[in-house]
Amino acid sequence: MAISNYIFLASALFTIGVIGVLTRRNAIIIFMCVELMLNAANLLLVAFSQMHNAHLGKYFPTLASDAQVFVFFIMVVAAAEVSVGLAIIVMLYRNTHSVDVNFLNRLKN
């Protein structure tokens, strides 16, 4: 598959994620959209790694696997983000009985 197809798919996924984060008020949907954006970045990293691995992998094998390390790092950050975010959402739901992010303004007082 050509790299342009991966770029188009990742751009579409990232755009859907950005639109979801900017337009939705439900905290769980916002988290899902953030995960969509992170996975779009992962897709591009793996696609570019695969493209460079085909050209440089036989001469520099460690250089070609750097993108997979970044993908693993992004997955770890995403897991940490989800665990902290879900804890905040659970506490928000216990206090307000809603997952609307507009209720987060009440945390100021």
Side-chain angles (χ1 to χ4, degrees):
M1 187 181 260
I3 192 71
S4 61
N5 294 336
Y6 290 113
I7 292 172
F8 177 74
L9 178 62
S11 299
L13 289 175
F14 195 84
T15 303
I16 291 170
V18 168
I19 290 171
V21 166
L22 294 177
T23 60
R24 304 297 284 207
R25 296 288 176 221
N26 189 334
I28 294 173
I29 293 176
I30 289 173
F31 270 120
M32 289 185 342
C33 291
V34 168
E35 292 293 324
L36 202 59
M37 289 189 292
L38 291 173
N39 284 328
N42 284 340
L43 178 65
L44 274 182
L45 284 172
V46 170
F48 282 119
S49 172
Q50 183 67 27
M51 183 180 76
H52 287 289
N53 191 17
H55 299 291
L56 298 175
K58 56 186 168 188
Y59 301 113
F60 305 105
T62 58
L63 183 66
S65 65
D66 287 344
Q68 282 99 11
V69 174
F70 281 121
V71 168
F72 182 71
F73 181 73
I74 289 173
M75 291 172 82
V76 169
V77 169
E81 173 246 339
V82 166
S83 64
V84 171
L86 285 179
I88 291 172
I89 290 172
V90 167
M91 291 306 297
L92 177 70
Y93 184 76
R94 283 184 183 174
N95 291 329
T96 64
H97 298 288
S98 175
V99 290
D100 190 0
V101 292
N102 289 331
F103 285 111
L104 290 176
N105 288 333
R106 295 181 181 177
L107 295 176
K108 292 179 182 176
N109 300 329

